[in-house]
Amino acid sequence: MGITQILTAFGLSASAGLNAYIPLLIIALTARFTDWVKLSTPFDLLTNEWVISVIIVLLLIETLADKIPVVDHINDVIQTIVRPTAGAILFAANANILRDVHPLIPIVAGLIVAGTVHATKATARPVVNMTTFGMGAPVISVVEDVISFLASLTAIFAPFLVLVFAALFVFVVYKLLSRRRRSASA
């Protein structure tokens, strides 16, 4: 398995932690209509028109539900199973990934990556809703969807940029935590 496949897998799994259906749809459409992505069996089922249709319907439902305060919390509870599962599927769906390593490794890696991103999102969202009286939910949701979309495209077409985004994410989290510690001690 090449480094680009690993980076693609991590990028798509992280993206699924924000919105399960955006990276699934991007992979399904890219694999169906281009040669850029080749899905091995059984993941090639994602390219079936019925599966793509179901992903589109689920994407529309999640996109709407995630914009409405309180409903977004219920959606996050439901997505606690869906997003990590989508991350596992996306991680494992990379071409030849199952031939190179034991199948459980990419599945667990995808679950952990998507689950971690989802847990962070699900933890932060109630705080955003409470501090903005619900007005921040649609804004944050749109930002998350855009990040999921761009991260999915980056993971497929420029996987080495996944490292840049990961480093940037770690830097931002470090700065926020440092600032928080300084203000708590002051």
Side-chain angles (χ1 to χ4, degrees):
M1 171 174 32
I3 187 75
T4 57
Q5 286 177 301
I6 293 170
L7 293 173
T8 297
F10 274 103
L12 290 170
S13 294
S15 178
L18 291 174
N19 185 314
Y21 307 109
I22 290 173
L24 282 172
L25 183 60
I26 289 172
I27 279 292
L29 293 174
T30 305
R32 182 172 172 100
F33 297 111
T34 74
D35 291 333
W36 291 324
V37 173
K38 300 247 189 271
L39 298 176
S40 57
T41 305
F43 304 107
D44 60 342
L45 288 173
L46 287 172
T47 63
N48 178 285
E49 58 269 357
W50 287 103
V51 174
I52 291 171
S53 298
V54 169
I55 292 171
I56 290 170
V57 169
L58 292 172
L59 174 60
L60 293 173
I61 292 169
E62 168 156 6
T63 301
L64 178 63
D66 203 42
K67 310 285 184 279
I68 304 168
V70 179
V71 175
D72 66 338
H73 179 68
I74 296 166
N75 183 53
D76 280 338
V77 170
I78 294 166
Q79 297 300 323
T80 298
I81 294 169
V82 176
R83 290 180 185 141
T85 302
I89 290 167
L90 288 161
F91 203 108
N94 273 304
N96 301 320
I97 199 166
L98 294 178
R99 290 184 218 142
D100 297 339
V101 297
H102 190 279
L104 195 55
I105 293 171
I107 290 169
V108 170
L111 281 168
I112 291 170
V113 171
T116 301
V117 172
H118 167 69
T120 303
K121 172 188 172 164
T123 302
R125 186 55 77 85
V127 174
V128 170
N129 284 346
M130 287 183 356
T131 58
T132 64
F133 302 104
M135 303 301 277
V139 174
I140 293 298
S141 180
V142 168
V143 169
E144 291 166 351
D145 291 344
V146 168
I147 291 170
S148 181
F149 178 77
L150 293 175
S152 297
L153 292 178
T154 300
I156 294 168
F157 299 113
F160 284 101
L161 287 179
V162 170
L163 290 173
V164 173
F165 288 122
L168 182 62
F169 176 76
V170 169
F171 177 75
V172 169
V173 169
Y174 171 76
K175 285 295 194 182
L176 290 173
L177 290 176
S178 296
R179 185 180 303 161
R180 185 174 170 191
R181 274 187 241 134
R182 273 188 261 136
S183 65
S185 65

